[in-house]
Amino acid sequence: MSMWNDALNIITAFASNDAWEISKALGTPAAWLIGTLVTALGAMAALILYKSVPFFDRHLERSVMVWSYLLIAAIIFVEVFRRFALNQQAPWSTTIPPFLFLVMTWFGCSYNVRLRTHLAFAEFRMNMSRKLQMGCLTLDAVLWFVFCVVVVVTSTRVAANSASNFQILLGTDDVLQWWFLATVPIAFVLMAGRVLENLRDDFTRYRNGDVMISQAVIGGETG
């Protein structure tokens, strides 16, 4: 019963919107139960979104990546010019870009899971039988989902701890670090949706007798 009570406390803490209570509640083992449930439900919601709105399927993560990169480049370009030409520099110009890079990296990871460019072992697997290929792809999906759960739980704890301690982004007066840190579990929930999307496509190809595994191309289009 303790596990279920702790799980109920986590739900209550989030409902109260109290960062201290959330951080405290997430310190219990029940966080893994809630994290798994949230990741699974979030993944299914993301899968429905990708299927219902093809624009998000093709451009959601890429748009976040591109805009994050443009903001990083703009901040660095402007502040380097101001530093050497005007002898001025915004104090936050060296702290915001790393957090934007964090956002760009994890949303990019989600998109590349869809492209299967992470440890795909395509050359090796293309020589396997169809059943072994399907087994490997299913194992990939399970491992990626477990990885997503681990990151969702741990990164949510980090974001909650940051919020409960009112950690301000260095060089700013009122920008909180948890605003950026909270994008990590969001990115990994989207990644879990990509995992389900890939697994759905794998089962479809397996039933239809289509080619199961092909060489992935970094930056290529999704199927």
Side-chain angles (χ1 to χ4, degrees):
M1 291 298 294
S2 178
M3 174 71 76
W4 297 109
N5 289 336
D6 290 341
L8 182 60
N9 289 336
I10 293 174
I11 297 173
T12 303
F14 272 95
S16 69
N17 200 30
D18 187 321
W20 173 258
E21 291 298 326
I22 294 173
S23 178
K24 182 180 177 182
L26 289 175
T28 64
W32 295 102
L33 175 63
I34 296 297
T36 302
L37 180 62
V38 169
T39 304
L41 293 176
M44 288 187 286
L47 181 61
I48 294 172
L49 176 66
Y50 295 143
K51 185 176 181 179
S52 302
V53 188
F55 176 84
F56 288 134
D57 185 27
R58 296 176 61 86
H59 300 292
L60 178 58
E61 294 100 336
R62 289 197 293 185
S63 297
V64 174
M65 291 162 58
V66 169
W67 282 107
S68 298
Y69 181 82
L70 290 177
L71 284 173
I72 293 170
I75 291 171
I76 293 175
F77 175 81
V78 171
E79 292 305 318
V80 166
F81 174 81
R82 293 180 69 237
R83 179 177 181 180
F84 291 98
L86 306 176
N87 200 28
Q88 298 176 353
Q89 184 176 0
W92 46 262
S93 62
T94 57
T95 56
I96 287 184
F99 280 95
L100 290 175
F101 183 79
L102 173 78
V103 175
M104 182 182 71
T105 299
W106 294 125
F107 277 86
C109 186
S110 173
Y111 185 67
N112 281 284
V113 164
R114 174 58 171 158
L115 297 181
R116 304 178 192 269
T117 53
H118 292 299
L119 299 177
F121 305 109
E123 297 86 352
F124 177 70
R125 292 179 174 181
M126 282 190 291
N127 295 317
M128 293 180 172
S129 66
R130 290 181 60 81
K131 288 184 179 181
L132 283 177
Q133 288 179 346
M134 190 65 232
C136 288
L137 293 172
T138 303
L139 178 61
D140 285 347
V142 172
L143 293 177
W144 273 116
F145 183 80
V146 171
F147 179 58
C148 290
V149 171
V150 170
V151 177
V152 167
V153 173
T154 55
S155 61
T156 302
R157 284 175 175 171
V158 172
N161 288 337
S162 177
S164 64
N165 288 296
F166 300 99
Q167 292 180 342
I168 303 295
L169 190 68
L170 295 178
T172 68
D173 296 324
D174 52 7
V175 177
L176 299 175
Q177 288 189 18
W178 76 265
W179 296 350
F180 295 92
L181 297 175
T183 62
V184 179
I186 294 173
F188 275 84
V189 167
L190 292 177
M191 187 188 299
R194 292 300 192 182
V195 170
L196 295 184
E197 188 176 20
N198 284 348
L199 189 61
R200 179 200 63 190
D201 294 344
D202 293 336
F203 277 110
T204 299
R205 282 192 286 265
Y206 184 76
R207 289 195 304 267
N208 296 339
D210 298 332
V211 175
M212 296 291 298
I213 296 176
S214 57
Q215 185 64 50
V217 178
I218 295 177
E221 296 291 334
T222 58

